[in-house]
Amino acid sequence: MKYMKKILCLVIGLMLTAFISSCSVQSKMSEPQPEPVNLSQPQPREREKRNGDIFVSPLGSDSNNGTRENPVKTVEKAVELAEKLHKKERVISFAKGEYSVSSITLTSKNNDIVFYGEDEGVIFNGGVTLNPSDFKIYKDKIKMLDLKKYGVTQEQIGKVRAFGAYNTAEKYDEEGSLYCELFCDGKRMTLSRYPNVGEENLKTGKIINNGDSKEIYTSSGTQQNPDWADMKNPKGGTFAVDKDVADRIKGWKNSDDIWLFGYFQYDWADSSTPLALFDESSITTKYASVYGFKEDMPYYFFNVFEELDAAGEWYIDRDKLVLYFIPPEDFENKSLQLSFETENLITLDDAESITFDGIAFCGTRAGAIKGTGSNITVKNCAVKNIGESAIEIEGEKILVENNTITATGKAGVILTGGDRENLVSSENVVTNNLIYDWSQVYQTYQAAVALHGVGGVCSYNEIYNSPHEAITYSGNNNIIEYNVIHDVVLKSSDAGAIYSGRSWNQYGNIVRYNCIYNIGSDGFEPSGIYFDDALSGQKAYGNLFVNIPGCAFLLGGGRDLQITNNVIVNAGTPVSYDDRAIAGIKDGGWFSHAKTPNEGLWATLKEFDINSTAWKEEYPQLSALSDDFDNSDDPAFAANPANSVVENNVIINKKKNIGSIAKRVNKYSCVQNNNFYTLEQSPYSSSDYGKDISINGFSALPTDKMGRTYY
């Protein structure tokens, strides 16, 4: 009987853990409501004209002097000539056309240079453009191209490499750039796979051997593997497959270079691995999974020639240098590119006052613009068809404005800057950009916009179509405002469209006047704004949520949160506010990051001097926090969800309730004066969500200012 009681307690504990960690198991939302329609519509804006100092044309010659009449041919030569000019601002003017670019580095000697595209269609390409007419018929619908005709080498093609945010290739000393990719008409094509895109993925069968992993699962719970950090060549796992899959694998000839991609333990941890072994009933992976393997998790095989059977799929025979491709309809009239460059197209090395205006970047397996610098401007540009992140810069006064970013393998824009020690602003701004179809290779934790540091601003962007988060941030005094976000977090539940988490020192961030609608898909139930794992000191007001299958707000046990004046329409759970930090300490709950003094979350209180003049003036409540475990009922004890306010929100859902509020939240914080309506009683129509109507304590939302304002 005692043994059965222990089993029952374990089951109940696991159920409570799932309940706390994911609000999606609570109420589901009703039928989707009409999307907001009175949002800002971008209007045309005339570009600033530049007078060129050096002129570049695809028809030029590097033996020329760079005048308009005698332009040079390459970007590299133009930069060389610009270095010799003694002017405050040196403008390199590019004529329409494609320029082959191979990893240009800009340093302090290149300061004050403007790269200016005179006309639409100035392209910096790290790959090669293919001519559709060069393809021959292989058999059936498959076409083939002899890449030797283009001078392509095996080195340029590269090997298939691991990808996914949680891949473990570094453990095997096999890291490297992503394999070359094929793009047609600006869209990423699919390396031949099984099952096909759009078909249901395979599911892991019974786990026969979990292999080595970072986490070890026992009957008493999850433990960390103490050897993981230093482990080399950890063992892969083995799981069962059915006879159909086993028979299919037996028909694949390139079995030494077949790969799997999947979510092997969690739907927020994607990874890939080569296939090591297979038999009549099981397969074994070469690489370990960070969190091990779990039965019934999705995966697929890729880089399989015999599975080349659907439009948009491709495969390269690396020995014969032959590209096989099943093109989409009318591909003869579409652009076709292979990405070859393995480095960033532009690398900034402490450069200053560099501007890119009206340039399109494509064709690299790495990023478009990456590095360190200040006073860097990227505007009116396009970044597409790349393997990693579009723009990733560390520095101050960085402006990313009015760009289109799409078809990236990783993130969109990542900016880091400011002085957190003294709370000095970075003045970094990401504004009025159109970012869509990013994170196409790495499927988790690749945001359209990520701000790190102090004083960054993400505003007036339109962001859509991605498997995971849209905006993430860390640090202090960052502002996320007037963005329109939709059709994101399509392949995860434990995630949010706007996400930050796990810190007691990241105070002063504001999330306001954003519209988040129609997120999640196919049973995935993510949240709108997710303040994860005791994140504290955040303000969120004036936001509009429509059709959020999980929680509009998922508040993970933090303190000093202000959630006010938001409109929430048709959310599975309008607000979920738990007490995970204090529960982990007092109740033996699953949350372990606050259990040990001076470690985990407690260490964030010592990361900076919160009693310094700058910090004490900015966040006086931080210096008043207690770390006295003997007086854990004190509201000032950092782990308590105290001093928060959830009020004056308009909530329209089928249950006419706030959602899920932990008892300790009600004890230490204030949840009051919220306004509830059923969907049938809604005071709004779809075209006027958030308008100025008489609702207790509520102020109208500026929906007509949300989204891009110009192009």
Side-chain angles (χ1 to χ4, degrees):
M1 181 63 71
K2 289 183 179 180
Y3 178 78
M4 291 302 294
K5 286 183 178 179
K6 288 183 179 180
I7 294 293
L8 180 60
C9 289
L10 176 60
V11 171
I12 292 173
L14 291 172
M15 291 174 65
L16 288 173
T17 295
F19 177 83
I20 293 171
S21 64
S22 175
C23 67
S24 65
V25 299
Q26 300 174 29
S27 61
K28 308 294 184 183
M29 69 178 186
S30 187
E31 287 299 313
Q33 300 304 294
E35 65 187 46
V37 295
N38 62 334
L39 305 176
S40 173
Q41 297 299 317
Q43 301 299 316
R45 187 184 72 169
E46 188 173 347
R47 280 181 64 203
E48 178 184 2
K49 299 295 184 182
R50 301 274 190 174
N51 294 317
D53 297 302
I54 296 164
F55 294 87
V56 194
S57 168
L59 302 178
S61 169
D62 281 356
S63 62
N64 289 342
N65 60 5
T67 62
R68 183 175 290 279
E69 294 75 21
N70 297 288
V72 295
K73 183 179 180 65
T74 66
V75 182
E76 291 84 351
K77 184 62 177 180
V79 171
E80 179 186 325
L81 293 177
E83 291 173 4
K84 300 174 182 178
L85 294 178
H86 300 287
K87 293 182 63 177
K88 177 59 179 174
E89 182 178 81
R90 298 165 287 182
V91 178
I92 302 176
S93 187
F94 293 86
K96 180 178 181 179
E98 187 171 286
Y99 299 87
S100 179
V101 172
S102 179
S103 188
I104 296 171
T105 298
L106 303 176
T107 66
S108 57
K109 67 181 179 179
N110 307 120
N111 291 348
D112 305 304
I113 290 182
V114 176
F115 295 80
Y116 180 70
E118 286 191 335
D119 304 294
E120 186 176 347
V122 175
I123 302 170
F124 287 9
N125 190 358
V128 62
T129 297
L130 307 175
N131 189 339
S133 65
D134 288 336
F135 281 80
K136 310 298 181 185
I137 295 176
Y138 172 62
K139 63 179 179 180
D140 299 327
K141 54 190 175 181
I142 302 175
K143 295 182 180 292
M144 61 183 291
L145 175 67
D146 184 354
L147 293 174
K148 294 188 291 295
K149 179 176 180 179
Y150 289 81
V152 173
T153 65
Q154 288 184 343
E155 182 180 8
Q156 286 177 305
I157 294 171
K159 298 179 180 179
V160 177
R161 300 283 190 177
F163 59 88
Y166 288 85
N167 81 75
T168 57
E170 63 178 2
K171 295 287 186 181
Y172 307 85
D173 296 324
E174 292 187 9
E175 287 186 293
S177 63
L178 187 70
Y179 50 82
C180 78
E181 296 185 280
L182 179 66
F183 298 87
C184 181
D185 200 30
K187 296 180 180 179
R188 177 176 266 103
M189 299 291 99
T190 302
L191 184 54
S192 55
R193 54 168 278 181
Y194 170 74
N196 291 328
V197 173
E199 298 177 355
E200 185 176 357
N201 285 324
L202 301 172
K203 297 294 180 69
T204 53
K206 180 181 178 181
I207 306 305
I208 298 169
N209 186 329
N210 202 46
D212 296 319
S213 60
K214 182 180 179 180
E215 291 184 348
I216 301 173
Y217 304 93
T218 68
S219 59
S220 59
T222 302
Q223 300 175 1
Q224 299 297 307
N225 182 347
D227 300 323
W228 177 257
D230 299 319
M231 189 176 287
K232 285 293 184 183
N233 301 311
K235 291 184 298 183
T238 301
F239 55 84
V241 296
D242 61 31
K243 186 176 184 302
D244 288 342
V245 173
D247 289 344
R248 197 158 192 138
I249 296 173
K250 282 191 287 186
W252 298 342
K253 296 179 181 178
N254 62 325
S255 57
D256 59 342
D257 200 20
I258 291 171
W259 287 67
L260 295 83
F261 171 88
Y263 299 80
F264 295 114
Q265 180 65 234
Y266 302 112
D267 72 4
W268 47 262
D270 60 319
S271 63
S272 56
T273 170
L275 174 65
L277 300 169
F278 66 92
D279 58 27
E280 297 292 337
S281 60
S282 67
I283 60 175
T284 299
T285 66
K286 178 179 179 181
Y287 294 170
S289 172
V290 174
Y291 299 108
F293 295 83
K294 184 169 68 176
E295 188 173 347
D296 203 36
M297 294 301 288
Y299 74 97
Y300 64 82
F301 295 96
F302 67 98
N303 196 43
V304 184
F305 178 67
E306 289 80 6
E307 296 299 336
L308 186 62
D309 61 358
E313 287 192 341
W314 62 278
Y315 178 87
I316 291 180
D317 185 323
R318 285 163 171 76
D319 295 325
K320 297 179 180 178
L321 295 174
V322 175
L323 167 65
Y324 298 92
F325 181 40
I326 302 179
E329 292 183 3
D330 195 33
F331 99 110
E332 295 85 355
N333 299 313
K334 296 177 179 178
S335 63
L336 203 63
Q337 293 178 337
L338 279 174
S339 59
F340 283 156
E341 181 56 52
T342 59
E343 303 295 331
N344 304 303
L345 295 181
I346 303 292
T347 297
L348 303 173
D349 184 5
D350 290 332
E352 294 185 16
S353 301
I354 303 291
T355 295
F356 300 94
D357 184 350
I359 309 292
F361 300 87
C362 65
T364 177
R365 294 180 237 171
I369 302 171
K370 185 175 181 178
T372 58
S374 59
N375 289 290
I376 308 297
T377 297
V378 183
K379 64 180 182 179
N380 307 316
C381 292
V383 181
K384 59 183 180 179
N385 304 357
I386 64 172
E388 296 187 357
S389 300
I391 300 167
E392 186 173 357
I393 307 174
E394 181 175 354
E396 282 70 45
K397 296 183 178 178
I398 302 163
L399 173 63
V400 180
E401 178 184 21
N402 197 37
N403 304 285
T404 297
I405 296 172
T406 185
T408 71
K410 283 188 172 181
V413 180
I414 305 172
L415 300 186
T416 303
D419 176 3
R420 291 195 67 198
E421 186 75 41
N422 299 294
L423 296 177
V424 178
S425 174
S426 65
E427 299 182 46
N428 292 338
V429 177
V430 182
T431 189
N432 207 79
N433 300 282
L434 176 62
I435 306 176
Y436 65 99
D437 292 343
W438 78 97
S439 188
Q440 292 187 324
V441 179
Y442 292 72
Q443 298 276 293
T444 61
Y445 295 104
Q446 307 297 325
V449 180
L451 297 178
H452 304 297
V454 183
V457 175
C458 173
S459 62
Y460 298 101
N461 302 287
E462 182 178 358
I463 298 170
Y464 66 91
N465 203 25
S466 181
H468 209 248
E469 63 192 10
I471 298 173
T472 190
Y473 64 88
S474 66
N476 303 89
N477 299 348
N478 297 294
I479 297 176
I480 314 297
E481 62 181 4
Y482 295 104
N483 301 285
V484 170
I485 303 167
H486 60 95
D487 297 283
V488 298
V489 206
L490 298 176
K491 295 184 179 180
S492 184
S493 290
D494 189 11
I498 298 177
Y499 176 90
S500 187
R502 197 172 298 174
S503 176
W504 281 332
N505 67 26
Q506 293 183 23
Y507 273 57
N509 300 298
I510 298 174
V511 182
R512 64 187 180 192
Y513 308 133
N514 302 282
C515 177
I516 304 172
Y517 70 94
N518 293 359
I519 68 173
S521 72
D522 299 329
F524 293 107
E525 299 179 350
S527 297
I529 295 178
Y530 193 169
F531 295 154
D532 198 10
D533 288 353
L535 181 70
S536 300
Q538 315 295 297
K539 293 182 180 179
Y541 59 87
N543 300 285
L544 171 61
F545 304 83
V546 181
N547 299 333
I548 310 298
C551 308
F553 284 100
L554 179 46
L555 312 176
R559 56 185 296 120
D560 292 310
L561 303 174
Q562 295 184 31
I563 312 299
T564 60
N565 210 78
N566 302 281
V567 175
I568 301 171
V569 182
N570 198 34
T573 301
V575 179
S576 177
Y577 193 168
D578 62 55
D579 60 353
R580 67 185 67 176
I582 189 64
I585 295 171
K586 300 187 73 170
D587 306 335
W590 63 275
F591 190 74
S592 63
H593 307 285
K595 290 183 178 180
T596 307
N598 300 316
E599 295 182 9
L601 278 164
W602 297 103
T604 67
L605 293 179
K606 301 181 185 300
E607 187 179 5
F608 300 98
D609 183 2
I610 60 176
N611 291 303
S612 69
T613 299
W615 279 74
K616 203 163 186 177
E617 287 182 356
E618 193 79 17
Y619 321 119
Q621 63 272 58
L622 263 177
S623 60
L625 293 185
S626 165
D627 60 358
D628 184 1
F629 276 65
D630 292 329
N631 190 18
S632 60
D633 288 331
D634 182 357
F637 186 61
N640 283 318
N643 300 337
S644 295
V645 175
V646 180
E647 65 181 4
N648 295 332
N649 300 287
V650 175
I651 297 171
I652 305 167
N653 71 333
K654 64 179 182 179
K655 288 196 173 182
K656 200 176 177 180
N657 65 2
I658 189 74
S660 174
I661 308 296
K663 289 182 179 179
R664 290 189 181 100
V665 172
N666 282 318
K667 176 181 178 180
Y668 293 112
S669 290
C670 183
V671 181
Q672 65 179 15
N673 298 332
N674 294 291
N675 304 277
F676 301 98
Y677 302 87
T678 64
L679 294 168
E680 293 76 18
Q681 297 170 335
S682 171
Y684 301 121
S685 69
S686 63
S687 62
D688 59 13
Y689 289 132
K691 78 173 184 179
D692 188 10
I693 57 179
S694 180
I695 298 179
N696 180 41
F698 177 75
S699 300
L701 305 188
T703 54
D704 59 338
K705 296 180 181 178
M706 297 176 180
R708 290 188 300 147
T709 59
Y710 55 88
Y711 62 88

